[in-house]
Amino acid sequence: MEFRDLKKQYSVLKNEIDMKIAEVCTSAHFISGAQVSELERQLAEYVGVKHCISCANGTDAITLALKAWGIGRGDAVFVPDFTFFSSGECPAAEGAVPVFVDVDENSFNIDVKKLEEAVIRVLGEGEYAPKAVIAVDLFGQPADYAEIKEICRKYGLLLLEDGAQGFGGSIDGKKACGFGDISTTSFFPSKPLGCYGDGGAVFTNNDEWAAIIRSLAVHGKNSENKYDNIRLGMNSRLDTLQAAVLQVKLKAFKDHELQDINTAALMYNEALADTGLILPHIKNGYISSWAQYTVQLQRGIDRNVLKKYLQDRSIPTMIYYMKPMHSQQAFSGTHSAEADCPVTRKLCETVLSLPIHPYLSREDIYTIRNALTEAMNESRMIR
Ligand SMILES: *Cc1c(COP(=O)(O)O)cnc(C)c1O
């Protein structure tokens, strides 16, 4: 069994993808080919924002947004403690201080009450100026944007939506990657919409920021001439082959994949209802794109033994995430290491992500359910 079955997906989309790849090779327009701007238009339309700027990966997408805002030394950026490293790495690499905020144990997303407390605390300390919030759509479920936007408005903070895992999700019909002042996503192969290598994108309705980000992504070029460099930038482009693959995958994503992965998640919810596992909770009005299906084990179950038991039966599982951000060695000795995040600490000890993708079958889900219940009935699972 595959954790995310990209081989199966390729076998379904093979004819179209092979044809699109061959078109790019024939044209030899490997950088900035027509497929790149076509894809950007399609993505912007799908999300419902004015501008989409593609780039080399989801990490660069965050960096491009922070650079466009001029965030750096002396600035505080609020980031959930339970996320992938990039969300905190990017502001720190720009010289700002990521302030890690605990998450809600049901949604796994930033706890809005603790977010406001953290902003007030940093204001009181007077050492760093609160500038932005990086909200993450963890495991595919959008963060609580109604409340987060209210806090951003109240304290004059910019909102960056890290939608690397969130593409395709929505709140009351409004699509993820459209909630931030700037939003970003990743097309890493295993994300909800993945390419065949690295890729990412930035979304915004703001014309000025969009122009700056387009410039930054290509060595700070001016809008007319690539060899006239008006600022220091990066080399961060989505190549034409990736854009061509993504055009096929976006179509499948819209046609059936988003729906199919939600069906898989529902089947899991039913199959696992009586197992004692704590199942992922999607809020009312929210739709997840299920970057992960993450359960929480009850205290007392030895996760390593359980994971090994499943692995021995060819069921791959992952632990997202093992470590709170504030405990990562990269932040040791810095202001960022001082966070107090008991929910994140607990989640890091109890979460387990199960295989999920649009091509997961009912039989696979039953196999996983049976293995999980067998495992949990075995005394050696208990610590
Ligand atoms: C994957 C991911 C990123 C980084 O995306 P890359 O394309 O791998 O650089 C950023 N934030 C989150 C939450 C992610 O899951």
Side-chain angles (χ1 to χ4, degrees), residues 56-116:
N57 55 69
T59 307
D60 281 3
I62 298 171
T63 297
L64 286 164
L66 296 172
K67 281 185 185 296
W69 287 337
I71 285 179
R73 200 157 296 283
D75 296 336
V77 177
F78 300 85
V79 180
D81 199 35
F82 192 57
T83 179
F84 179 66
F85 193 58
S86 295
S87 319
E89 176 185 33
C90 300
E94 294 306 300
V97 169
V99 175
F100 294 115
V101 178
D102 212 357
V103 297
D104 176 271
E105 75 178 305
N106 297 311
S107 70
F108 304 118
N109 282 328
I110 197 162
D111 182 321
V112 288
K113 195 165 153 283
K114 290 177 183 166
L115 170 61
E116 181 162 21

